[in-house]
Amino acid sequence: MENNQTPLMQRIWISLPLMGLFVEWLLPLKPLDVMAVSKEWFGVMYLFTGLLLLLGLFCSRSGLSLFLYGVCTVGAWGYVIRQSGEAFGLRSTLSLLRQDSELLFSTGQFSGMSQETRMLVLMIGWALLVYSVQSLALLRSSVLLFAGATLLYLFCLETLLSLPVYDDLIRTSAMVLLLQGMVHLSRLRESGKFEGMNESLYNKWGFSLAAAVLVLVSSSWLAGSLAQPKSASRISMQQAAEHLADWVRNGYNGGEAAAAVTGYNLSGEEEDMGLPLQQGSRIYFTAITPVATYWRGESLSEYNGRKWSEPEGDAKTGYVPGLISGQADQPRDVLQNITQQITFEQPLMQSFPLFGGGRITQVVDMQLSTGAALPTAIEQNPGAGSVKVILEKGQPQVEGYTVKVDLPDTSPQRLRGETGGSDPAEIRQRYLQLPTALPKRVRDLADEITAGAANRFEQVDAVKKYLKAHESYTLETRVPPEGEDFVDDFLFETHEGYCNHFSTAMTVLLRSEGIPARYVKGFAPGKPDPGQSGRYQVSEGDAHSWVEVYFPESGWIPFDPTPGFGLSASASRPASSFHQMSATGGELLLKASLWAEKGLLRTLDFMWNRKLALGAAWMAVCSLALVVVWLMPSLRLVPLWIRLHIGRSRFPDRDELLVSAYPVWRALATRYGAVPAGCTVREYVDSLPVEMQEIREMLYDFTADWEKIAYDAGPMERSRCIAYMRRCLWISKKVA
């Protein structure tokens, strides 16, 4: 980006409102959950945008600019990935990019690429946008196009998504006025009608303009607020997300079903299962627990062939903190009672289930956004074994909570040793339900799988092993054709799916054999924090489902049939979303890849653990590079300065005097263009549009001396040679 013709202070005064306009593109998206990114992503994007604009202030060489812009983009992208809880290894990253590139070229479907790659493409596009807009503003004094696009973008958010953007429009209008005023000053300077515009003038103009804009906008805002309608409630953000989600489902790709993003559905409305998934990476909550556990949310009991639901009428209301009593049909053999603490990444403002590693026996405390120790309403469903926090409109948001839970004893030896017993009538009535239209071949398959099993545990284990051995794990799935059963389509047609497919199939197969089972949804254990023992980060990509089976002597016991997942009291985290592979050899490939880059990852982890010091060093290096780039024109004059001040003990010869003129010709060519063919030096200097009389007189004297030296009209006196070299130095600085 060539900035030689624009003073530094003017570039700063133009870039500051540009930064504000870019922020206005990001700020309205922050409350929406339709973007599978963490809250820190927006902060990174703000800093990323500011750094790009800072580079645009100083970088003048295209090669260096491209390198610095690329370093900033990759660095910001890597930081976002690490903040989302994923590994950022060199080999794994390059391998992922290669695979996504091959997928894009072979299928032409951008949606099939991983979320990490799509994020990189987004950040590259954002960097190009910032560079283009700043270039137009600084070099062409053109800002109206981007300003108009920003206002149109905000109007679309308000019109299409019903987002309250009144404050955003006020701020954007102020920045557009300030930006247009600074651009107008730039045009006045370029016209040549005003001479002697120094930095103090730009500062006076900028501060005066900012004050005038502030007064004008404040008056407009005050007048508008008197007649402004009642501000929209926060639920409008949820409605906006629903509007956008509907558009994605029904309007994008010609009406075909788009891929959903992994996460926990708090709306209470279940959709037909089978939508293809994209692995989310946004952190949902952070947990502190002495034992790694799955995070149970809710169980669902009714299956209609397409989706799960839970009948109403069994819930009991109450308040917490306090003991949770009356949980019927829970595990009777408890491994241990532990305390778990959960802190949500973004406070929840709608009803949600309490996530815990087992049966919740007590809510120790509930952290509310107000900071007050207020009781919180709950809805307890003893039959389903779930506890739901009820939040109405206007109530304080929940930032986190602490619970005590009982972990069930899931040891195969104990379960295999159960002598039997009959299931209670209410359990059989509720958890043996199957749709009447369930295909007969599903029931026949259940008979075939469990044939020869001696007890209930062996039947359950046989179904789980069958699913893991005969079906494949993938996120690229489909919703079954209308009228087709979800489980039948999975077991006999596609033979591939994710956790919803495996959990639903296992539940249906067990119920076909008269074994009470229910579908459970929640989260996998999450990613352990290497810096703090017992701390886990659970992301939307960890959203998961599994099965609970009823044993007459033990109660409800969890089982997970999904390949690559294992449910136990000390469960380890499944493969991360960054390296998620299918069950067929995926784990072996992942282990081999991790082993190959073990040394490199240790180095990266060492650097990451000291990211503050390294970040400061990186900023220092970047600052030094910017200073060097900024001083580059002056550094080119160092040889001339040395000849003038250090080499004066000897009389300069003709060649040295001609070389001293090189910076002058370079500066004139950069600013006004090279000497045209067939034009003499004197004609070229006469044609230059130099308004300042002092510079023009210096150029005439320089031209006269240069012609005498170049055409060897005889040696010049020592004092005249020194004066000539001083003119070369002075003209080079002024013109550049």
Side-chain angles (χ1 to χ4, degrees):
M1 189 183 299
E2 298 289 346
N3 295 324
N4 292 333
Q5 300 185 33
T6 308
L8 176 61
M9 288 309 302
Q10 185 173 350
R11 300 199 299 270
I12 293 176
W13 275 104
I14 291 177
S15 298
L16 285 176
L18 282 179
M19 177 66 187
L21 291 179
F22 281 114
V23 169
E24 291 300 333
W25 279 76
L26 298 171
L27 202 58
L29 302 177
K30 193 171 184 180
L32 299 180
D33 291 333
V34 293
M35 298 184 66
V37 294
S38 64
K39 182 173 60 177
E40 288 78 8
W41 180 83
F42 292 93
V44 173
M45 289 300 293
Y46 300 151
L47 295 177
F48 178 49
T49 305
L51 187 57
L52 293 176
L53 292 173
L54 184 63
L55 289 175
L57 290 177
F58 299 100
C59 291
S60 59
R61 297 178 60 184
S62 58
L64 182 60
S65 299
L66 181 62
F67 172 75
L68 293 178
Y69 275 80
V71 169
C72 292
T73 303
V74 174
W77 175 61
Y79 182 79
V80 169
I81 294 179
R82 291 300 296 259
Q83 285 296 101
S84 67
E86 305 297 344
F88 188 65
L90 179 60
R91 289 192 58 179
S92 58
T93 302
L94 293 177
S95 176
L96 179 70
L97 294 177
R98 179 184 60 81
Q99 294 174 7
D100 286 340
S101 299
E102 293 175 353
L103 179 64
L104 179 63
F105 286 121
S106 61
T107 64
Q109 296 181 356
F110 182 78
S111 60
M113 301 171 66
S114 66
Q115 176 149 338
E116 289 78 7
T117 302
R118 294 198 303 272
M119 181 67 69
L120 176 61
V121 174
L122 170 64
M123 299 185 77
I124 292 176
W126 185 259
L128 293 175
L129 176 64
V130 173
Y131 177 85
S132 302
V133 170
Q134 190 179 25
S135 298
L136 289 174
L138 297 182
L139 303 181
R140 299 291 182 266
S141 300
S142 175
V143 296
L144 290 180
L145 179 61
F146 183 63
T150 304
L151 292 172
L152 179 61
Y153 166 73
L154 294 175
F155 278 120
C156 289
L157 291 180
E158 194 278 334
T159 303
L160 301 179
L161 300 181
S162 302
L163 290 180
V165 296
Y166 179 76
D167 294 338
D168 301 88
L169 288 173
I170 292 294
R171 292 192 299 267
T172 300
S173 300
M175 286 179 287
V176 169
L177 291 175
L178 179 60
L179 186 59
Q180 188 60 30
M182 294 309 302
V183 168
H184 181 66
L185 178 62
S186 177
R187 291 172 178 170
L188 290 178
R189 185 190 65 82
E190 293 173 357
S191 66
K193 298 179 180 179
F194 296 88
E195 299 181 0
M197 286 189 178
N198 50 30
E199 292 189 356
S200 62
L201 177 61
Y202 294 117
N203 288 331
K204 291 178 182 178
W205 178 282
F207 285 117
S208 301
L209 183 62
V213 170
L214 181 62
V215 171
L216 177 62
V217 173
S218 299
S219 302
S220 303
W221 176 83
L222 181 60
S225 62
L226 297 178
Q228 185 179 359
K230 183 178 180 181
S231 58
S233 61
R234 298 195 66 172
I235 195 66
S236 63
M237 296 300 181
Q238 180 183 352
Q239 294 171 348
E242 292 174 354
H243 288 320
L244 186 57
D246 290 339
W247 176 82
V248 170
R249 285 194 300 268
N250 303 322
Y252 188 63
N253 287 336
E256 297 179 0
V261 179
T262 54
Y264 197 93
N265 179 17
L266 295 178
S267 67
E269 298 180 0
E270 300 292 334
E271 298 179 344
D272 287 354
M273 294 183 291
L275 275 175
L277 288 183
Q278 297 174 2
Q279 203 80 23
S281 59
R282 184 175 68 93
I283 300 300
Y284 196 70
F285 62 82
T286 301
I288 298 178
T289 174
V291 178
T293 64
Y294 277 37
W295 301 98
R296 186 187 191 278
E298 303 170 88
S299 67
L300 304 175
S301 59
E302 290 193 0
Y303 171 69
N304 67 358
R306 308 284 294 183
K307 60 184 178 181
W308 286 96
S309 62
E310 182 65 20
E312 299 180 357
D314 295 335
K316 300 179 181 179
T317 58
Y319 292 91
V320 294
L323 295 175
I324 303 297
S325 59
Q327 294 278 56
D329 306 315
Q330 294 296 331
R332 301 179 179 90
D333 291 281
V334 177
L335 181 65
Q336 58 180 316
N337 183 270
I338 62 174
T339 300
Q340 298 178 318
Q341 179 181 348
I342 283 181
T343 303
F344 292 106
E345 189 72 8
Q346 295 181 349
L348 296 185
M349 57 185 179
Q350 64 184 114
S351 300
F352 66 93
L354 285 177
F355 300 102
R359 180 175 72 93
I360 298 177
T361 60
Q362 180 182 356
V363 179
V364 179
D365 64 8
M366 188 79 63
Q367 294 89 41
L368 306 179
S369 58
T370 59
L374 300 175
T376 304
I378 64 168
E379 186 178 85
Q380 181 181 345
N381 192 329
S386 60
V387 181
K388 190 172 185 179
V389 176
I390 306 300
L391 294 179
E392 301 293 342
K393 180 179 178 181
Q395 287 185 321
Q397 302 174 32
V398 176
E399 296 180 346
Y401 57 86
T402 303
V403 294
K404 289 186 176 181
V405 301
D406 283 340
L407 300 183
D409 186 357
T410 60
S411 61
Q413 296 80 2
R414 188 189 59 79
L415 295 175
R416 187 177 284 108
E418 283 204 8
T419 58
S422 60
D423 301 315
E426 61 272 18
I427 295 294
R428 295 183 59 84
Q429 180 180 1
R430 183 171 182 174
Y431 294 107
L432 290 180
Q433 174 271 334
L434 287 172
T436 56
L438 182 70
K440 183 177 181 296
R441 60 180 179 176
V442 175
R443 300 178 186 270
D444 293 341
L445 178 62
D447 293 337
E448 179 183 343
I449 295 174
T450 58
N455 52 52
R456 177 163 294 185
F457 175 79
E458 291 185 2
Q459 289 177 299
V460 174
D461 190 54
V463 171
K464 186 179 73 170
K465 289 181 177 178
Y466 175 86
L467 293 175
K468 289 193 174 187
H470 292 81
E471 317 302 337
S472 301
Y473 184 92
T474 182
L475 298 179
E476 298 295 329
T477 58
R478 66 170 190 180
V479 176
E482 192 68 29
E484 298 295 328
D485 184 87
F486 175 74
V487 171
D488 181 79
D489 185 70
F490 170 58
L491 293 175
F492 297 98
E493 301 298 334
T494 65
H495 295 285
E496 57 183 15
Y498 44 88
C499 58
N500 292 357
H501 297 73
F502 287 88
S503 301
T504 301
M506 182 174 182
T507 304
V508 170
L509 290 172
L510 291 177
R511 289 186 177 185
S512 299
E513 292 300 302
I515 301 175
R518 62 190 183 190
Y519 175 89
V520 181
K521 60 178 185 176
F523 290 90
K527 179 180 178 61
D529 186 350
Q532 180 178 347
S533 177
R535 187 173 186 268
Y536 295 82
Q537 286 189 330
V538 181
S539 69
E540 289 180 339
D542 292 310
H544 193 49
S545 65
W546 57 95
V547 181
E548 286 181 347
V549 182
Y550 186 79
F551 287 77
E553 298 180 10
S554 302
W556 290 104
I557 303 298
F559 292 87
D560 191 348
T562 305
F565 291 76
L567 205 161
S568 66
S570 58
S572 59
R573 184 177 187 267
S576 70
S577 61
F578 195 69
H579 299 288
Q580 187 68 50
M581 301 179 182
S582 64
T584 56
E587 294 182 0
L588 293 177
L589 291 176
L590 178 59
K591 290 180 180 179
S593 175
L594 292 177
W595 178 83
E597 61 181 40
K598 183 177 180 181
L600 177 60
L601 287 179
R602 284 183 176 178
T603 303
L604 292 176
D605 288 338
F606 174 82
M607 297 173 62
W608 184 253
N609 292 333
R610 291 155 179 79
K611 55 180 177 290
L612 182 61
L614 292 173
W618 182 78
M619 290 298 297
V621 171
C622 290
S623 301
L624 180 61
L626 290 176
V627 171
V628 172
V629 172
W630 187 22
L631 297 177
M632 190 65 72
S634 300
L635 293 177
R636 293 173 179 173
L637 302 179
V638 170
L640 177 57
W641 185 89
I642 293 176
R643 283 193 295 270
L644 178 60
H645 295 281
I646 299 179
R648 292 179 57 178
S649 59
R650 60 183 182 84
F651 196 86
D653 57 22
R654 176 175 178 271
D655 292 336
E656 286 182 313
L657 293 175
L658 291 176
V659 170
S660 299
Y662 287 171
V664 178
W665 300 127
R666 187 185 301 113
L668 292 174
T670 300
R671 183 160 186 174
Y672 302 109
V675 180
C679 181
T680 65
V681 172
R682 189 171 295 275
E683 291 173 345
Y684 171 69
V685 172
D686 288 337
S687 66
L688 297 179
V690 179
E691 298 293 337
M692 295 184 64
Q693 187 63 27
E694 183 181 11
I695 297 180
R696 180 164 289 280
E697 291 177 356
M698 278 286 186
L699 283 173
Y700 287 148
D701 293 339
F702 161 78
T703 303
D705 289 341
W706 185 88
E707 288 178 337
K708 182 176 178 62
I709 298 169
Y711 300 134
D712 199 16
M716 295 191 303
E717 298 177 355
R718 178 183 179 85
S719 59
R720 186 174 177 182
C721 290
I722 295 175
Y724 162 80
M725 296 175 68
R726 284 176 175 169
R727 288 193 197 97
C728 293
L729 187 62
W730 187 89
I731 293 173
S732 301
K733 291 180 179 179
K734 289 296 182 180
V735 173

